[in-house]
Amino acid sequence: MSQRVLTTESGAPVADNQNSATAGAGGPILIQDQHLLEKLARFNRERIPERVVHARGSGAYGYFEVTDDVTGFTSADFLSEVGRRTETFIRFSTVADSLGGADAVRDPRGFALKFYTNEGNYDLVGNNTPVFFIKDPIKFPDFIHSQKRDPFTGRQEPDNVWDFWAHAPEATHQVTWLMGDRGIPASYRHMNGYGSHTYQWTNAAGDAFFVKYHFKTNQGVRSLSAEQAAEQVGKDANSHQTDLLQAIERGVNPSWTLHVQVMPAADAADYRFNPFDVTKVWPHADYPLQRVGRLVLDRNPDNVFGEVEQAAFSPNNFVPGIGPSPDKMLQGRLFAYADAQRYRLGINHTQLPVNAPKATTADNYGRDGLHATRYGSRQDKNYEPNSYAGPAQTGAPLAAPLPVQGWTGAHEAPLHTKDDDFFQAGELYRLMSADEKDRLIANIAGGLSQVTRDDVIEKNLAHFHAADADYGKRVEEAVRALRED
């Protein structure tokens, strides 16, 4: 049987479905990559009207207060002074299930935070894990399809879930996180949040730094076992929503302490791990946590649909002093998130109260479209430049420029000295206590043993063996025992 040829929507053959086109190896993604944009744009339009991912969510308002001086690293105004407070809105969510799904399930949690700064809204869109399953956005639609309901059976299929992971060895690190104790948080209040991606900070002198965000819960990390989660879902499928709502209503305001890891831009090229690979962490021994401030949630939304469901986040919403890095997954999300909201909520979704700036005013030449509420006065023009005192560019970039070199094309990410798909997964396994390892093995084996194809099971077992000999041995034995029952 001859191999079928993968094509674009227009029927053109696809040369590379594994790597996005970049400006040189390790460079930023090119907008000319039609296949990537087509995949992401189609993926964003697959569901009406709920989110394709992160559909089930809860939200709250609060504030962020700066507690430590970070002006040596960033010129962002909302971080410029100790004691400065900025209004925020956060949306927590599960990833894979639909709007009607349960809260207490094994799934990453979205941690999307909007800062209403006086230089515009800054959106930090992260998760409760410091890493992710894949490193290139061209694979994101495929990954989510493997985790969602099968088009024939209408349910999540272990064959699909584990078959994708069998072909994505870089997922081993995140799979270890997901199947470990923190895979099911006890509540949104009792989990950490991470920017996950690498971002760029630029100080007033123009010096560039790469940073990773860590929001550490001040309530302490608490998680549920698989058995506890099943019991919780049976009692209250909305358990995390209930907990967050009632805590804030009682005046028990949850909080997180923000820390960052800071890497001078010059360190990135020779760092032992690719610092822009979202499947990797930066060990704290290399780049210690530095405290920035605290996030406090103190007000529930008045209307869940109006404020939580219609909340729109895009990691492309930066403010001066903060910008992107060459992280390929981040680069893809810079397009995909905003595009998803334009489809889901319309081109004027930024004018909805929850999404509109609060500490400043949006002033641009965008006009008309569905649900437009901002028209301007009769003197306002809708083009630029003009002779009527309309808004004009500043000429000041938000962040420092990134150097690029090499040929355009679909490149694999450049390897650094310690780059492989398994080393950090093994490090995470070896950090676990004996009881934590027992639960991890049981969780993995419980899912992997349901796979019907032996070759898929073997490919996944090889990943765990490569991460750590004991890890692989124990998973293999546990899967074999469950399959023999």
Side-chain angles (χ1 to χ4, degrees), residues 118 357-364 374:
N118 61 2
K358 296 183 182 294
T360 186
T361 301
D363 192 5
N364 55 51
R374 187 177 68 236

Side-chain angles (χ1 to χ4, degrees), residues 100-123:
D103 287 342
V105 295
R106 188 171 300 280
D107 199 14
R109 298 300 190 277
F111 194 97
L113 184 60
K114 189 181 297 290
F115 298 84
Y116 298 104
T117 89
N118 61 2
E119 295 180 299
N121 291 350
Y122 171 46
D123 290 353

Side-chain angles (χ1 to χ4, degrees), residues 248-263:
I248 295 175
E249 288 296 289
R250 295 195 312 268
V252 180
N253 298 330
S255 66
W256 289 258
T257 299
L258 171 61
H259 302 263
V260 293
Q261 291 178 282
V262 180
M263 174 188 291

Side-chain angles (χ1 to χ4, degrees), residues 412-457:
E412 291 187 11
L415 291 178
H416 291 229
T417 56
K418 292 292 288 185
D419 272 343
D420 67 49
D421 294 325
F422 310 111
F423 175 79
Q424 290 198 355
E427 291 282 272
L428 178 59
Y429 175 78
R430 290 184 285 274
L431 283 174
M432 295 180 180
S433 68
D435 288 344
E436 288 173 325
K437 289 178 180 177
D438 289 344
R439 291 188 289 270
L440 170 68
I441 300 304
N443 291 333
I444 292 174
L448 188 54
S449 63
Q450 298 178 52
V451 174
T452 60
R453 289 184 51 162
D454 290 343
D455 61 324
V456 172
I457 293 175

Side-chain angles (χ1 to χ4, degrees), residues 124-141:
L124 181 58
V125 185
N127 287 320
N128 71 327
T129 60
V131 292
F132 196 61
F133 297 92
I134 53 175
K135 62 181 74 174
D136 194 302
I138 206 166
K139 298 305 296 177
F140 187 71

Side-chain angles (χ1 to χ4, degrees), residues 249-297:
E249 288 296 289
R250 295 195 312 268
V252 180
N253 298 330
S255 66
W256 289 258
T257 299
L258 171 61
H259 302 263
V260 293
Q261 291 178 282
V262 180
M263 174 188 291
D267 289 7
D270 297 323
Y271 186 48
R272 56 193 176 122
F273 304 108
N274 181 349
F276 311 120
D277 180 350
V278 74
T279 69
K280 306 286 195 305
V281 297
W282 303 352
H284 293 181
D286 295 346
Y287 296 98
L289 296 180
Q290 303 188 46
R291 193 175 66 175
V292 179
R294 67 185 185 121
L295 170 69
V296 179
L297 304 183

